[in-house]
Amino acid sequence: MKHFISPKDVHSVPEMVKEGLAQKAHPYANQALGRNKTLCLLFFNSSLRTRLSTQKAGMNLGMNVIVMNVGADSWQLEFEDGVVMSGSKAEHIREAAAVIGQYADIVGVRAFAGLSDRNEDYKELVMQSFRDLAGVPIVNLESATRHPCQSLADLITIEEYKKKEKPKVVLTWAPHIKPLPQAVGNSFAEWLNLTDYEFVITNPEAYDLAPEFVGSATVTRDQEEAFEGADFIYAKNWSSYERYGQVIRGHENWIIDEKKMALTNAAKFMHCLPVRRGLIVEDAVIDSPSSIVIPQAGNRVWSVQAALKKILEAL
Ligand code: CP
């Protein structure tokens, strides 16, 4: 595998899930693969899980890992070509990415959507720039439109907890006070569409995801109908795609509560975290035995370790 930016980089999704479970079973079995190799992680945005799980995965594979908060620890980067750099951005991505590629064998990048210009965000300028200019493989640690490390961890978790071959998996929009990117919802939908699970997305009218990510999923505005018979409830907020980046008020009743969970087939509750209790989900649900958010976050190590292993094998 050359890069891990989207599922298009992956030969087979079921094979990646199997690889994640194999890494979990034998975390240190491939230490020779990463010996004397350097993983450089670049964060344009905050992180708890992605930063720590990717560092741990790299170390499990025997790699040296270096981490930088871009902008805070480094120069501010300019991504536009042909500009006169007379503002606050002191270094162009053309030099920065190429230089980072001199120090690293694999580069991980986190760069969220700006949420002001949909066309710009969906062009994925930051991720594409590193892909084009660094000269080494790139791992997407959450970009403007995708979060593949999260989605693969989600599939690994569903594989571990499913009680039937083809579970009903529901991605439900949930309320939030701030505008959040669509990346987690997009990516979850994109990866779920590559399984043979029954997949339903439920969201208020103003919150449809981009059609390219919704794919063949069933979409319903009726959250309670979606929950009926569900085996997994995956809650996530995202800001509007149509009215780009906006929070449209009046959907506070989309919170995940015990009454809605009672409609399901004893569904497991999932969320990528961080989660705002009392807004997205009631304490009684996230603190219940049906909640698998902690093992789900634990699986972040094995998803990115599987991706790094595949890339190391192809170096
Ligand atoms: N789920 C997730 O990506 O968490 P962090 O933002 O803390 O990395």
Side-chain angles (χ1 to χ4, degrees), residues 46-51 110 142 147 150 272-274 300:
S46 304
S47 169
L48 186 156
R49 279 143 291 272
T50 305
R51 181 167 177 155
R110 164 165 283 202
E142 187 173 341
H147 196 354
Q150 180 66 54
C272 62
L273 305 182
R300 290 293 308 276

Side-chain angles (χ1 to χ4, degrees), residues 6 24 40 44 62 96 105 119-120 137 146 154 215 228 265 275:
S6 84
K24 186 170 185 171
C40 177
F44 289 78
D105 298 283
N119 288 337
E120 281 303 311
R146 288 183 170 92
D154 298 337
E228 280 168 18
N265 180 30
V275 69

Side-chain angles (χ1 to χ4, degrees), residues 85-110:
M85 290 172 58
S86 55
S88 59
K89 295 172 180 171
E91 181 153 23
H92 201 279
I93 185 64
R94 287 189 172 275
E95 288 77 49
V99 169
I100 291 164
Q102 299 287 305
Y103 306 145
D105 298 283
I106 303 176
V107 174
V109 181
R110 164 165 283 202

Side-chain angles (χ1 to χ4, degrees), residues 93-224:
I93 185 64
R94 287 189 172 275
E95 288 77 49
V99 169
I100 291 164
Q102 299 287 305
Y103 306 145
D105 298 283
I106 303 176
V107 174
V109 181
R110 164 165 283 202
F112 290 171
L115 292 178
S116 57
D117 184 330
R118 187 169 86 181
N119 288 337
E120 281 303 311
D121 284 345
Y122 276 68
K123 271 193 228 161
E124 290 280 14
L125 179 64
V126 176
M127 204 57 60
Q128 290 307 326
S129 298
F130 277 100
R131 184 187 178 129
D132 294 345
L133 300 168
V136 295
I138 302 298
V139 175
N140 181 346
L141 303 178
E142 187 173 341
S143 65
T145 67
R146 288 183 170 92
H147 196 354
C149 294
Q150 180 66 54
S151 305
L152 179 55
D154 298 337
L155 288 192
I156 292 168
T157 310
I158 291 170
E159 186 64 25
E160 287 181 312
Y161 284 88
K162 73 180 187 187
K163 293 197 183 107
K164 54 170 97 140
E165 204 49 45
K166 294 182 184 179
K168 178 178 177 182
V169 181
V170 176
L171 169 63
T172 178
W173 182 92
H176 203 282
I177 50 163
K178 288 173 62 181
L180 299 188
Q182 294 105 30
V184 170
N186 283 346
S187 213
F188 187 73
E190 186 174 42
W191 284 74
L192 253 289
N193 278 321
L194 295 169
T195 71
D196 57 2
Y197 302 158
E198 182 184 351
F199 180 42
V200 177
I201 304 174
T202 184
N203 56 264
E205 194 170 343
Y207 288 101
D208 282 348
L209 292 170
E212 75 215 60
F213 289 102
V214 171
S216 58
T218 301
V219 179
T220 173
R221 314 257 176 258
D222 187 335
Q223 192 187 31
E224 294 193 357

